[in-house]
Every structure is written in C-alpha cells, then in structure tokens.
Amino acid sequence: MGSNLLKYFTYIIFMPFWYLQLLIPRNKNIWVFGAWYGERFSDNSMYLFKYIQDNDPNIRSVWITTNEDIFKSNASLGYETYMKWSLKGMWYCLKAKFVFVTSRKQDVNEFFINGSIAVNLWHGSPLKKIGADDKYSQVNGFFYSKIVKNFFPISYEFNYDFVTSNASVFSDKMATSFKVDNTQVLETGCPRNDVFYETKKDSFNLDILRRFPNAKLVYYLPTFRNTITPKNIFTQSDYNQNSIENFLIEENIVLINKGHFVESNKGVTSTNKNSRIIHLKDSDTSSDINFMLKDADALITDYSSAFFDFLLLERPIIFAAFDLEEYMSQSRELYFEYEKAISGPMAKNWSEILVHLKDIWNDEDNKKLIKKKNALYNKYHDANNSKRVVKSLMDISNPK
C-alpha cells in the first residue's frame, strides 16, 4: 500500500514535465526498444532491433534495459544500450520518434516517451484473452480504467499508437485488447517469427543430437497460470519418470521442457545428464527460444502462443490441455473454442501424450490440418516480418 502511494505521488510531481515533453522535437531516425520490463533482451523487440542494426544504418536503434548483464552483453556486441535510469537512457527515450515494447511501456522508460509513436509488438498471437479483454485483469477495475486513465497517463497501457498482428484472425482481438481502432493494427507478422527461416542450427540442439544421434527433439512449452501451485505435465499424478524415460529411449526422442520464464521450472524434478528429459532454464543457453524451437521436430504445449509460431514449420503439435476447464475459470478465458482452434491431438494425461508421440509422425490427416491452420493463423510465410514493420512505420512517418 505504501509503495503504491509513493508511486502515484511521484507521478503527480512529474505530470507537468510529462506534458512539457510534447514541446520537445523528436528525431524520426532514433528508435528505442525494450522488452519484458527491461529485464530481457528477447522477443519481437529484439528481433526488430537486430534487423534494423543489420539493414538500416540510417536508423539509430537504442536498447533500454534495467539489467546490468544485458547492458554489458549488448555493449560487447556493439549494440547501443543504456540503463533505464541513466542520463542517456532517459535522453534517448525523450528524443526517439518511435518506441517499441513487447509487454508494457515499462519495457523502456515510460516517464519520457510522451510525444513518441508508441508501438506494442506484443509477445505472440493471442490464444488466451489479454489486456482489456481479460476479465481477470485489474485493468478492468474502476481504479485503473477511470483514475489511472484520466489522472496518471504515465502508467496507462491503452493509449498505444499502433500494435502489430500476425493475421486478420487476430487483428480485431489486438484492437479490443489494447483499446485501439482497427486502423491502428499493423498486419505485419511477428518479427520473432523471421527466425524460423534461419538455416543455422542452435548450438544447444546440436549438442543434444551429438549425445543422442538422430533423436527427435520434442519441446514442451507451457504457458504460465494464475495459480500458486505449479502445474505442468511433470506435476501430474501419472508422471512416472522411469517408464517415460524408457519410452523415449525406445522411440529415440529427447523431451526438452522450457517452462515460461515467469514460472521457470517450478514443480519439476531435476534429471541427470544422461536423461532424455531435459529441464531447460534461461541460464542454460544464450539463445532465444524461437531460435531453439525452429530445430524441434515436434511441440507439446497447452495454451501458449508458441502454437501459432510453430505452425510455420508445419510439424506436429500435441496439446496437453489437462486442466482446460480449470485454466479458463481461474487463469484466462480464450478467444477461440479450444478444440476447434488447435492443430493437433489433445492429451489429458501421460498415457495419451505417449500414444500421440508414437503415432503423430505419419498422421496424414493431421498434416493436412496443420497446413490449414497455418494458412489461417499466419498471414505471411517468409522472413520479412521485421521488414514489413519498418516499412509500415516509415510510410506513416513519411507520408506521400
């Protein structure tokens, strides 16, 4: 309670300068980026940032972070990066014409972006309801929707200039979730999906294949839940590590569990270095998850937007929706009727997961369904999503 009072008192003091920012000219060639509250160098912002670094020398792309390790790592790579509360970090947020985030304006320095063109690239196509569409979110309460909106615009999240979308089936959902007009939704595709057309293999995956020659790599990417008790396929009562290990050996499969970074790998039991079940943490690799995922032979997920991304590869997906009703009643409602939306078989327990892992590789009907869903959920099937984002904003910045 005390920290919230201090936060809003700070906002009140800062409000005059917030509006004075509108008088400061912004440089159309300075673009500022951030991701995940400044704590990560990842996701759509990172891929767009790197694209501009490699392809448009006229744009000065600046990364803003709150993480000292990211600051040092980016500096070693030659990426212009500043800490959020450093003088240069605040200055470039104040001067940038375009500001890009993947979650909230706190990805950069939200105090110094009034007057910029703010673009939320988001972190995937929405299967579960997000933003203003999420009835469980506090943004729909009186305080946020009335008090914060009208008196504390610094921390208000529904005044973006643009949001991006992967396909028309998502565009209306992005509009309602961020309370923007449909004309403010840019159907460019997600910059992070460009990596699926990269031919270079991830070093972590190559190491696994050296240890387990010709193995099929199956990634498990669950979404997070609004529950205190961790829930994933490894916390289910029918999980028997020994019997599943034997199945994986027989089928020559390696199962790689990458929990959502918000929850990491809570509730999982560690395995030894010879195990075919690998619980992967962020610290175990320097690669982005999409770069790793492009090498996977199959995906197991539940309600994660990774489903839509992985469709681009047109490889099998198993949907471990063991708690579908509970998830929808306690964590998030979904935009789609789940069983009609998915592109593969559902599994409610480990027995069903193993059956599907044995049979799905040569299921011709499923291959046809995957192609159909890929066409629906991904408007573009190329490595030009970042290019389209840049072109769309350039056209806006330099109207004919």
Side-chain angles (χ1 to χ4, degrees):
M1 180 66 177
S3 61
N4 277 334
L5 286 174
L6 179 61
K7 178 176 72 173
Y8 288 108
F9 181 70
T10 303
Y11 290 165
I12 291 171
I13 294 173
F14 192 80
M15 287 310 298
F17 186 68
W18 171 259
Y19 289 110
L20 282 173
Q21 290 178 45
L22 296 174
L23 302 176
I24 299 174
R26 289 183 173 267
N27 189 327
K28 67 179 182 180
N29 294 322
I30 298 176
W31 294 19
V32 158
F33 299 79
W36 293 105
Y37 302 89
E39 282 298 315
R40 296 166 66 83
F41 183 58
S42 67
D43 227 299
N44 285 314
S45 288
M46 181 193 74
Y47 280 103
L48 183 59
F49 175 86
K50 286 185 173 182
Y51 171 83
I52 293 171
Q53 287 275 318
D54 294 338
N55 294 279
D56 200 328
N58 294 319
I59 297 175
R60 187 172 183 178
S61 48
V62 177
W63 191 270
I64 301 297
T65 185
T66 57
N67 188 309
E68 287 278 0
D69 291 335
I70 290 173
F71 174 74
K72 293 174 184 176
S73 175
N74 279 8
S76 71
L77 295 170
Y79 296 149
E80 188 170 5
T81 303
Y82 301 111
M83 298 298 290
K84 175 175 179 175
W85 291 106
S86 69
L87 289 176
K88 286 188 175 180
M90 292 185 283
W91 173 250
Y92 285 109
C93 284
L94 194 61
K95 290 298 292 181
K97 181 70 172 179
F98 292 98
V99 171
F100 300 88
V101 300
T102 59
S103 52
R104 297 173 64 91
K105 292 169 187 172
Q106 290 171 335
D107 293 359
V108 292
N109 193 319
E110 70 275 23
F111 281 81
F112 297 96
I113 61 173
N114 194 22
S116 69
I117 295 175
V119 183
N120 196 322
L121 302 168
W122 201 233
H123 42 275
S125 301
L127 174 60
K128 51 187 177 287
K129 290 188 177 182
I130 60 174
D133 293 338
D134 176 14
K135 73 177 185 181
Y136 299 110
S137 174
Q138 64 178 4
V139 303
N140 291 311
F142 175 82
F143 181 77
Y144 193 88
S145 62
K146 302 298 182 183
I147 305 301
V148 172
K149 176 184 178 181
N150 293 307
F151 297 101
F152 304 105
I154 297 170
S155 63
Y156 189 66
E157 282 295 316
F158 300 107
N159 50 12
Y160 287 98
D161 296 283
F162 299 99
V163 296
T164 56
S165 169
N166 218 33
S168 58
V169 70
F170 300 115
S171 294
D172 62 330
K173 298 164 181 59
M174 297 303 290
T176 58
S177 64
F178 286 101
K179 296 186 178 182
V180 299
D181 188 81
N182 286 344
T183 59
Q184 295 171 269
V185 180
L186 307 177
E187 276 185 22
T188 57
C190 295
R192 73 183 189 184
N193 287 348
D194 291 346
V195 78
F196 285 113
Y197 299 91
E198 170 67 62
T199 56
K200 181 181 178 181
K201 285 189 176 293
D202 174 68
S203 58
F204 176 84
N205 292 328
L206 287 173
D207 180 63
I208 293 175
L209 292 174
R210 280 191 288 268
R211 291 160 53 197
F212 305 103
N214 302 314
K216 295 185 180 73
L217 304 183
V218 177
Y219 271 72
Y220 172 52
L221 302 181
T223 194
F224 70 93
R225 290 159 171 76
N226 295 342
T227 57
I228 297 174
T229 304
K231 291 188 178 181
N232 53 61
I233 58 176
F234 298 101
T235 64
Q236 297 307 292
S237 60
D238 64 338
Y239 172 59
N240 184 302
Q241 184 172 320
N242 289 334
S243 63
I244 292 168
E245 287 272 12
N246 290 334
F247 171 87
L248 297 176
I249 292 170
E250 183 180 331
E251 298 296 322
N252 197 16
I253 293 171
V254 177
L255 179 59
I256 304 152
N257 167 39
K258 175 63 177 68
H260 192 284
F261 78 89
V262 170
E263 294 184 327
S264 188
N265 285 320
K266 293 179 182 177
V268 301
T269 303
S270 61
T271 55
N272 63 55
K273 65 179 182 179
N274 296 317
S275 174
R276 284 176 176 258
I277 301 172
I278 300 173
H279 298 301
L280 182 66
K281 302 187 294 294
D282 283 351
S283 58
D284 293 332
T285 175
S286 60
S287 296
D288 177 82
I289 186 58
N290 275 33
F291 186 73
M292 303 174 74
L293 191 60
K294 69 179 175 53
D295 301 331
D297 296 289
L299 171 67
I300 301 175
T301 189
D302 43 26
Y303 324 110
S304 170
S305 62
F307 149 43
F308 300 120
D309 298 348
F310 195 74
L311 277 173
L312 289 164
L313 300 171
E314 297 192 343
R315 297 172 193 162
I317 306 175
I318 297 169
F319 293 85
F322 58 87
D323 62 345
L324 177 59
E325 293 78 15
E326 180 183 330
Y327 181 83
M328 292 180 62
S329 64
Q330 295 185 18
S331 291
R332 295 283 186 90
E333 294 179 309
L334 305 179
Y335 281 114
F336 304 95
E337 187 177 342
Y338 188 77
E339 293 188 37
K340 292 182 179 179
I342 60 179
S343 63
M346 279 182 61
K348 294 283 185 147
N349 52 52
W350 269 101
S351 295
E352 293 179 3
I353 290 174
L354 298 185
V355 167
H356 296 316
L357 277 176
K358 191 176 184 68
D359 298 339
I360 200 169
W361 310 101
N362 298 308
D363 186 333
E364 295 302 322
D365 289 337
N366 185 239
K367 290 178 182 179
K368 292 176 183 176
L369 178 62
I370 289 171
K371 288 182 179 292
K372 179 181 177 181
K373 296 297 185 180
N374 187 18
L376 173 66
Y377 296 132
N378 293 298
K379 181 175 181 178
Y380 303 103
H381 303 87
D382 57 35
N384 296 320
N385 295 327
S386 293
K387 183 177 182 179
R388 277 185 287 271
V389 173
V390 173
K391 183 180 186 305
S392 296
L393 296 174
M394 285 295 196
D395 290 345
I396 293 165
S397 183
N398 302 296
K400 295 180 180 179

